[in-house]
Amino acid sequence: MPNLHRSEEEKYFISDNGAKERFPSIHDTPTKDLTVVVPSYNEETRLPVMMAEALEFLQKRQKAQPSYSYEFIIVDDGSKDKTTEVALDYSKRYGSDKVRVLTLTKNRGKGGAVRMGVLVSRGKTILMADADGATKFQDIENVEKELERLKPWPDNMAISCGSRAHLEQESIAKRSMFRTFLMHGFHFLVWFLCVRGVRDTQCGFKLFTREAALRTFSALHVDRWAFDVELLYIAQCLKIPVAEVAVNWTEIEGSKLVPFWSWLQMGRDLLFIRLRYLSRAWKIDTTGKLN
């Protein structure tokens, strides 16, 4: 079964008065229009740039639509630097109703960090967004429009994925032949083993309806780089409609991905995903009960 266990410390965030307050559950009635989950590992340098852009955009939206509400959940995935301190500074400045910090006691991997943030979200829709700010935050408007186009949502479930597929030819021109070979090999394995119909499974800018987030992240087993693929595989198994929309993307220095070894690990994970579901060693449990 998916690992949904939390340590006692991971069940609480720091409120405005400095006291510990228990996180809510995704099973609760939503009280925000949008939750932005930001997985962060050693991001003390890159996180402020992303947060400044995202907060400026959402503050303007809220000013134009006073009833609009949002929250950020910054998930520190066991960082060794001052990521939590940087994140808490935003919580102090904007209030813990808008910015909450979930500090994991040990590194789970990006997938595990996103899942822990999603399962304590209050939003009607939930956006996962990388801490490096590689995707322009204003592109949320395009992702939201694509989500709306999927209506009527079956069982209130739909997913809209940001995509860099339109940039592929430009990126090939800048890559070595070996890295291009690895990229095409990974894409082929994704298509052959797991997910069809989504050209860019790995873009870290995805928007979920609350029910879709609950059902997919509750069933997620992979905690590291290939988690996006399992997430979309689960969505296909549950017949959740998925859209893909082009976003503006810029490569930011400081990536945690080591090309050869990360792709090797992802290729192994893709094979494991397929085999474990085929053998029924893994099953899709969508209850999402945190403990």
Side-chain angles (χ1 to χ4, degrees):
M1 301 301 292
N3 176 22
L4 301 182
H5 176 73
R6 295 179 297 172
S7 68
E8 195 61 26
E9 296 94 325
E10 293 170 346
K11 297 176 183 178
Y12 298 89
F13 66 93
I14 303 299
S15 65
D16 291 340
N17 62 10
K20 287 185 177 181
E21 190 172 325
R22 196 176 183 90
F23 275 109
S25 166
I26 195 171
H27 291 279
D28 300 338
T29 302
T31 56
K32 300 289 181 184
D33 291 300
L34 173 71
T35 293
V36 183
V37 176
V38 187
S40 306
Y41 178 67
N42 293 341
E43 293 289 4
E44 65 176 3
T45 303
R46 300 194 298 179
L47 182 63
V49 179
M50 179 269 175
M51 288 296 292
E53 181 188 353
L55 281 162
E56 181 183 11
F57 178 88
L58 290 175
Q59 292 282 77
K60 283 181 180 177
R61 176 179 281 191
Q62 192 174 57
K63 190 173 181 180
Q65 307 169 39
S67 63
Y68 184 80
S69 59
Y70 66 87
E71 68 168 345
F72 284 84
I73 298 179
I74 303 171
V75 186
D76 182 347
D77 190 22
S79 297
K80 296 178 175 65
D81 66 358
K82 295 181 179 179
T83 296
T84 286
E85 288 87 336
V86 170
L88 283 172
D89 184 55
Y90 285 96
S91 184
K92 289 172 185 173
R93 275 194 273 167
Y94 292 89
S96 61
D97 188 52
K98 282 189 175 177
V99 182
R100 293 181 174 181
V101 182
L102 168 55
T103 301
L104 303 182
T105 54
K106 63 179 181 179
N107 178 262
R108 287 177 180 257
K110 183 180 176 182
V114 174
R115 177 175 56 200
M116 289 297 104
V118 164
L119 295 180
V120 297
S121 297
R122 294 178 289 164
K124 294 174 185 175
T125 57
I126 299 170
L127 176 75
M128 53 176 269
D130 288 343
D132 61 5
T135 303
K136 291 297 180 186
F137 195 84
Q138 65 187 26
D139 280 345
I140 188 176
E141 293 184 326
N142 297 328
V143 178
E144 287 172 332
K145 286 175 186 174
E146 211 56 36
L147 194 72
E148 285 296 311
R149 285 198 188 103
L150 291 174
K151 282 185 171 179
W153 301 327
D155 298 321
N156 289 317
M157 294 192 295
I159 302 171
S160 182
C161 302
S163 174
R164 305 159 298 178
H166 61 294
L167 303 172
E168 192 169 289
Q169 289 306 312
E170 181 184 337
S171 67
I172 286 173
K174 298 177 182 178
R175 281 193 174 112
S176 68
M177 188 176 293
F178 179 63
R179 288 190 69 181
T180 299
F181 172 76
L182 287 175
M183 180 188 72
H184 284 306
F186 177 74
H187 288 174
F188 173 75
L189 285 176
V190 169
W191 176 85
F192 184 71
L193 295 172
C194 300
V195 177
R196 300 186 180 186
V198 179
R199 293 175 64 197
D200 181 9
T201 57
Q202 301 309 111
C203 181
F205 203 75
K206 293 182 175 70
L207 183 67
F208 303 77
T209 63
R210 187 176 182 83
E211 188 63 28
L214 167 61
R215 300 283 297 278
T216 53
F217 280 98
S218 298
L220 187 69
H221 298 80
V222 176
D223 280 342
R224 299 200 176 269
W225 297 111
F227 83 95
D228 300 80
V229 178
E230 189 194 359
L231 201 68
L232 293 171
Y233 177 79
I234 292 166
Q236 288 188 352
C237 290
L238 296 175
K239 295 182 168 43
I240 299 173
V242 177
E244 189 173 15
V245 57
V247 293
N248 292 295
W249 186 85
T250 306
E251 190 159 354
I252 307 294
E253 288 186 10
S255 172
K256 310 298 186 301
L257 214 112
V258 181
F260 177 74
W261 295 111
S262 295
W263 282 334
L264 195 66
Q265 181 187 27
M266 285 193 283
R268 182 201 65 183
D269 286 346
L270 294 181
L271 189 59
F272 282 171
I273 290 167
R274 185 65 174 162
L275 290 176
R276 285 171 177 169
Y277 278 111
L278 278 175
S279 65
R280 299 188 65 79
W282 286 355
K283 296 180 183 179
I284 297 179
D285 172 34
T286 63
T287 57
K289 295 293 185 183
L290 283 165
N291 53 55

